[in-house]
Amino acid sequence: MSYPKLSSPEEKLAEGKTGLNINDIVVLCGSMRFAAEMAEVAVHESVLRHSLVLKPDVNMKREHPLWADPVAAEALKVRLDDQHKQKIRLADRVIVVGDYIGDSTRSEIAYARRLGKPITFTHPSVDPDTV
């Protein structure tokens, strides 16, 4: 008796994206100091490449009641970092925006590389693997 091959989560995701006619998902990574540049890259990717663009949603560098308390802010940062890694898992490719790489972005780059995601940089000189 033979059993059907079970699909991996990655294979199921690829099948789901194909079934939903989702051709390309790109995730933007980088410091929120480059939010304006991220917005420009998102427009370029959406309009010219027809890509579905995922990017950071929250700029914790700006004051907001949801992260005014330092303890709550730290917990939120952990949760947002996890959410961004979920976006990386969904993405077909990654674009790192900006001419500075901080600890969070460095972690995201390492994570994407472990997953085998293609990564491009708006400023290739900041790639941690070439510096």
Side-chain angles (χ1 to χ4, degrees):
M1 174 194 258
S2 71
Y3 294 97
K5 178 187 174 285
L6 298 177
S7 298
S8 70
E10 292 81 6
E11 290 168 328
K12 288 178 184 178
L13 176 60
E15 291 167 9
K17 288 179 354 186
T18 299
L20 293 170
N21 198 28
I22 298 172
N23 298 319
D24 183 47
I25 300 175
V26 61
V27 64
L28 307 183
C29 297
S31 169
M32 288 309 293
R33 69 177 72 171
F34 303 113
E37 190 174 344
M38 278 188 203
E40 278 301 310
V41 172
V43 168
H44 176 85
E45 291 293 321
S46 293
V47 173
L48 298 179
R49 293 189 57 137
H50 308 271
S51 300
L52 178 62
V53 180
L54 306 173
K55 59 188 179 71
D57 298 313
V58 177
N59 185 350
M60 291 184 69
K61 297 186 186 318
R62 293 188 175 174
E63 290 185 25
H64 193 283
L66 290 176
W67 51 85
D69 172 56
V71 174
E74 190 55 36
L76 178 59
K77 183 175 180 351
V78 169
R79 193 176 84 216
L80 292 173
D81 285 347
D82 180 64
Q83 285 178 348
H84 202 69
K85 286 186 174 148
Q86 290 176 43
K87 292 174 186 179
I88 292 169
R89 288 195 301 272
L90 285 173
D92 298 302
R93 57 195 176 87
V94 175
I95 300 175
V96 179
V97 178
D99 62 0
Y100 162 81
I101 303 292
D103 292 338
S104 291
T105 304
R106 189 176 312 280
S107 170
E108 293 163 2
I109 293 166
Y111 185 71
R113 285 195 164 129
R114 279 195 306 275
L115 296 175
K117 303 290 180 173
I119 304 172
T120 56
F121 293 78
T122 60
H123 296 76
S125 63
V126 300
D127 181 347
D129 282 2
T130 62
V131 175

